[in-house]
Amino acid sequence: MKNAPETPRKHKLIEYANGPSLEEINGTVEVPKGKGFWRTLFAYSGPGALVAVGYMDPGNWSTSITGGQNFQYLLMSVILISSLIAMLLQNMAAKLGIVSQMDLAQAIRARTSKTLGIILWIMTEFAIMATDIAEVIGAAIALYLLFHIPLVIAVFVTVFDVLLLLLLTKIGFRKIEAIVVCLIMVILLVFVYQVALSNPDWGGIIKGLVPSAGTVASHPKVNGMSPLSGALGIIGATVMPHNLYLHSAISQTRKINHDDPEEVATAVRFSQWDSNIQLTFAFVVNSLLLIMGVAVFKSGAVKDPSFFGLFKALSDTTMLSNGVLIAVAKSGILSILFAVALLASGQNSTITGTLTGQVIMEGFIHMRMPLWARRLVTRLISVIPVLVCVWMTRNLPAVDEHEALNNLMNNSQVFLAFALPFSMLPLLMMTDSRAEMGQRFKNSLWVKVCGWVSVVGLTVLNVISLPDAFAGFLGDGAAAGQVQMAHIMAYVAIFAVLALLAWCTADLYRGNKKLMQLQGDAHHDVAEEA
């Protein structure tokens, strides 16, 4: 008697999930064994590109360009240091995923209480939505600039990128990586072209890569920005928490034998090569943005650092710095290329933001949604503040509308300051732990020292910038009493963040001690049996 064919299991909209990270793509990409360096590197290349996208998203653009306009090449060293810290953190994230076979969210949840897991999930969701707001604004403005679609309609159009995501989920993860790399190359080539035409001062650029006391000075103030506030803006827009969760998950897409330490070591090594190469591209893009601020435009010419203002400036021959640029700008190609790069950046971030959302939902609260549903919910929530902003400024002059959107994008990034320490600190503690990583893969002494300096430094910078960030929500015309109240609320928030960090650290420490004890007991039992 023949067995009846199995009935396909119906998938619910929300399901319980407690399996491998991003189970549909986990361990699906074949890698060669015993082949040459370049062929092996090619097989492992891809996850780094998805991570690098977060370091060149629309939120970075105005901070880098404005920093160049105001302080020439002074802040180049900040971009360099931020990129080196990013490489360090991302390498640890990839290593955690490969060695422990858990993404960062799963690892935190396994070592902490359910209540803390839910709190960290909510906080990280807000950070992802804050990033999504920048992507909505960037993509909507790009559609408006390229195709003259009214802003309200353009905001709604960005919701339909969920259809693009549906298509991508059908073609395989390796092709998604290839598409992301192509979009990165579009962004890179646009800015290389524009900077090459401007003939920048390469001596000044190299000098700017060396840190100096002036980089973190509170004076002089140019257009309301000091070198310190410009540096904080660049750092805040560069190192983002969701990239650490994402990298720890997608580093597991390669199919390796985890029982073979040499295969694991090879995967760690080539994943780090991939990450460092792709983040070098991100460093180049961010450097080109700052160089644009210095060399493409006349000094102080850009009064409107919003995407509208930059688009207009690239077609306004009175703002450009040399004859070659002016001749090309007359054709409109400079501004069109800028808008194309902006649209490419927004689409790239759509893919990575959705994957990250799935990682933290599965890891922290063991729930799974289809990627298209996950994207639709997140995007619909993210478009609400953008639509409200556009609606409230619809009768105001265009400059005021543009400024309001720019302020919304910048102020939304405050949530990243809350979430960043809660991804960096657990990542460092777990990769420092012999119980989690084993003696071979735990952080070396120099990585541990650099890691703690970076984590403490970034946490302090994020915390001390919160009072000004809270005051930024009030706008330029806020009364002194309102600013004072905003600062008080910021200090309450800082206290809450530090208390939550202490709770998280204590939970992770207890979890690590418990794991070491269990491993010790297991070794003892094995020794007794022998």
Side-chain angles (χ1 to χ4, degrees):
M1 183 177 172
K2 291 183 179 179
N3 292 330
E6 288 186 14
T7 306
R9 184 173 71 88
K10 283 189 176 181
H11 289 277
K12 299 176 183 177
L13 188 62
I14 297 178
E15 296 181 314
Y16 177 78
N18 195 20
S21 181
L22 294 177
E23 192 167 3
E24 300 86 351
I25 57 176
N26 193 293
T28 58
V29 179
E30 297 281 351
V31 290
K33 306 289 192 297
K35 301 298 180 181
F37 175 84
W38 293 109
R39 186 172 171 185
T40 307
L41 177 61
F42 178 77
Y44 279 96
S45 295
L50 271 73
V51 168
V53 165
Y55 292 94
M56 57 179 92
D57 74 344
N60 294 46
W61 292 29
S62 63
T63 53
S64 295
I65 292 175
T66 307
Q69 272 281 288
N70 292 340
F71 305 109
Q72 302 295 294
Y73 300 111
L74 180 66
L75 301 182
M76 283 290 295
S77 60
V78 179
I79 295 176
L80 175 61
I81 292 169
S82 297
S83 299
L84 292 174
I85 292 172
M87 289 179 185
L88 182 71
L89 293 172
Q90 295 299 160
N91 283 341
M92 286 193 283
K95 182 172 68 173
L96 175 70
I98 294 167
V99 174
S100 72
Q101 299 181 65
M102 291 189 292
D103 61 58
L104 181 57
Q106 289 174 328
I108 294 172
R109 179 66 185 85
R111 303 286 172 259
T112 58
S113 64
K114 181 179 180 180
T115 304
L116 182 58
I118 292 172
I119 292 171
L120 294 180
W121 170 64
I122 293 170
M123 187 180 297
T124 312
E125 286 284 9
F126 275 119
I128 290 174
M129 288 177 192
T131 306
D132 208 34
I133 286 172
E135 291 152 18
V136 169
I137 292 173
I141 291 175
L143 291 170
Y144 170 80
L145 295 173
L146 287 170
F147 307 112
H148 307 292
I149 300 172
L151 271 176
V152 172
I153 297 174
V155 170
F156 277 113
V157 169
T158 66
V159 175
F160 291 100
D161 65 14
V162 68
L163 299 177
L164 171 67
L165 193 71
L166 264 177
L167 174 65
L168 291 177
T169 56
K170 304 296 183 186
I171 66 174
F173 191 70
R174 196 71 172 135
K175 292 186 178 68
I176 292 177
E177 292 174 342
I179 290 169
V180 168
V181 169
C182 290
L183 290 172
I184 288 175
M185 293 310 296
V186 168
I187 299 167
L188 180 65
L189 291 173
V190 166
F191 293 133
V192 164
Y193 174 69
Q194 296 192 349
V195 167
L197 292 178
S198 70
N199 191 25
D201 175 12
W202 294 107
I205 292 169
I206 294 170
K207 184 180 176 183
L209 290 170
V210 180
S212 66
T215 308
V216 291
S218 55
H219 292 285
K221 285 201 171 186
V222 181
N223 297 322
M225 177 189 283
S226 67
L228 176 60
S229 62
L232 288 173
I234 289 172
I235 291 169
T238 303
V239 184
M240 294 189 177
H242 62 277
N243 279 326
L244 303 178
Y245 292 102
L246 178 65
H247 206 176
S248 62
I250 59 176
S251 64
Q252 299 178 56
T253 54
R254 272 46 186 177
K255 188 176 181 180
I256 62 171
N257 178 13
H258 284 88
D259 294 325
D260 183 351
E262 293 306 319
E263 271 198 48
V264 174
T266 298
V268 169
R269 182 163 67 95
F270 281 98
S271 293
Q272 291 179 342
W273 268 103
D274 170 45
S275 176
N276 291 340
I277 289 169
Q278 301 293 350
L279 287 173
T280 299
F281 281 124
F283 162 71
V284 171
V285 168
N286 286 321
S287 298
L288 290 171
L289 286 163
L290 187 139
I291 295 167
M292 273 185 68
V294 182
V296 171
F297 306 108
K298 290 178 182 176
S299 180
V302 180
K303 302 299 181 186
D304 178 5
S306 71
F307 298 136
F308 297 98
L310 294 171
F311 180 86
K312 184 179 179 182
L314 285 167
S315 58
D316 186 344
T317 56
T318 64
M319 289 191 174
L320 301 176
S321 61
N322 66 41
V324 176
L325 283 168
I326 290 170
V328 176
K330 287 178 179 177
S331 68
I333 190 67
L334 292 182
S335 55
I336 293 296
L337 286 175
F338 176 83
V340 168
L342 183 59
L343 189 60
S345 178
Q347 292 311 305
N348 253 346
S349 301
T350 288
I351 299 166
T352 57
T354 306
L355 289 172
T356 308
Q358 192 70 7
V359 167
I360 65 164
M361 180 179 276
E362 290 183 14
F364 281 130
I365 60 171
H366 302 320
M367 284 171 52
R368 176 190 298 144
M369 295 173 67
L371 285 179
W372 65 267
R374 163 82 213 183
R375 183 58 185 170
L376 195 58
V377 170
T378 306
R379 179 48 62 93
L380 285 173
I381 294 172
S382 299
V383 301
I384 291 171
V386 182
L387 286 172
V388 169
C389 183
V390 172
W391 181 258
M392 289 178 66
T393 58
R394 68 192 186 283
N395 295 322
L396 296 177
V399 173
D400 293 335
E401 182 183 52
H402 301 168
E403 185 180 353
L405 279 171
N406 204 51
N407 289 339
L408 172 62
M409 182 177 69
N410 293 334
N411 291 335
S412 68
Q413 306 300 296
V414 71
F415 292 106
L416 302 179
F418 285 109
L420 186 58
F422 297 96
S423 55
M424 293 190 302
L425 183 66
L427 174 65
L428 186 56
M429 288 182 68
M430 282 186 276
T431 52
D432 279 348
S433 167
R434 180 172 55 82
E436 297 283 359
M437 307 298 292
Q439 185 61 37
R440 179 171 185 176
F441 296 107
K442 76 182 185 71
N443 292 336
S444 61
L445 179 60
W446 78 267
V447 170
K448 184 183 292 189
V449 171
C450 291
W452 278 107
V453 170
S454 301
V455 168
V456 172
L458 285 174
T459 300
V460 169
L461 288 174
N462 273 278
V463 165
I464 64 174
S465 67
L466 278 178
D468 287 340
F470 271 54
F473 282 100
L474 301 173
D476 296 330
Q482 291 176 310
V483 173
Q484 186 179 17
M485 181 57 68
H487 284 176
I488 291 171
M489 292 173 64
Y491 292 129
V492 171
I494 290 170
F495 176 79
V497 166
L498 294 178
L500 197 57
L501 265 179
W503 180 10
C504 185
T505 304
D507 263 20
L508 289 168
Y509 179 76
R510 283 194 295 268
N512 186 59
K513 292 287 284 186
K514 187 176 180 181
L515 181 61
M516 290 182 69
Q517 186 178 356
L518 288 171
Q519 290 178 348
D521 291 343
H523 289 312
H524 179 71
D525 292 343
V526 169
E528 281 192 343
E529 287 177 11

